Amino acid sequence: MKTFTDNQGRRVTLVSSYVENTEHVLIIPKFNGQFLLTSHKQRGLEFPGGKVEPGESLVEGAQRELYEETGGLVGNLHFVGTYTVHDGDSTFSKAAFCCNIERLDQLKHYYETDGPMLVDHIDDIKEDEKSELLKDDCIIFLYNEVRENGCQ
C-alpha cells in the first residue's frame, strides 16, 4: 500500500487490488502513443472517469465513461489499482485502469466535457489548464507507472 495526501489534506491510499464497494473509475488511456485526456467544462484537463451506474461492472463503467467523455473505444482495460480517499469517517474509492485506444470517434456531444485532447506528457500542459485531479499526487503516481511501465 502507498499513502499520499491530496490537495485538501486528506489521506489517500493506493492498493494493487480491487476494493469492495468501489463505485468510481479513472482511466489512463493512450492513443497512437499519446495520452488521451478530456477537457472538463468546469475543472479543466483530466483523465476520463466517473461514477459507475447501477448494474454496471467497474470495467463496463470505465468503458462507458471513456467513450462518453472522449469517443475512445477500447477492447481491453488493464486494472492498475484502487485509490481511496479517507475523509473523516467516510471513504471514497476509485478503480484505476489503463488502456490503449483502438479507435477515437468524434461525438456530437461529450456530456460534461468538451471532448478529447492528446498530449505527449502531462507536464506539457499549463498548470492553469489542469484540473485539480491532474495535480493530485496519487493520480500523478498512477500516470507515471503507466508512462514508465506501459499498460500491461
Side-chain angles (χ1 to χ4, degrees), residues 40-135:
H40 191 278
K41 291 179 181 179
Q42 279 82 42
R43 294 190 301 255
L45 292 170
E46 60 191 24
F47 289 113
K51 188 162 176 54
V52 176
E53 293 181 355
E56 279 184 325
S57 68
L58 291 171
V59 168
E60 291 166 339
Q63 289 171 324
R64 178 188 49 76
E65 287 286 350
L66 179 63
Y67 190 75
E68 287 177 357
E69 294 182 1
T70 68
L73 283 173
V74 60
N76 292 318
L77 288 168
H78 301 278
F79 177 74
V80 180
T82 303
Y83 71 91
T84 301
V85 177
H86 303 268
D87 191 6
D89 291 335
S90 65
T91 60
F92 170 89
S93 297
K94 273 192 183 188
F97 297 90
C98 66
C99 66
N100 290 303
I101 300 297
E102 294 175 358
R103 187 177 86 218
L104 195 58
D105 292 346
Q106 185 169 350
L107 305 179
K108 290 184 181 184
H109 64 84
Y110 295 92
Y111 293 84
E112 68 273 3
T113 78
D114 289 323
M117 178 172 187
L118 293 165
V119 299
D120 291 322
H121 195 292
I122 61 171
D123 289 344
D124 298 336
I125 303 167
K126 294 177 186 174
E127 285 299 307
D128 64 342
E129 294 177 359
K130 293 179 184 179
S131 81
E132 290 301 313
L133 296 172
L134 208 55
K135 299 174 187 177

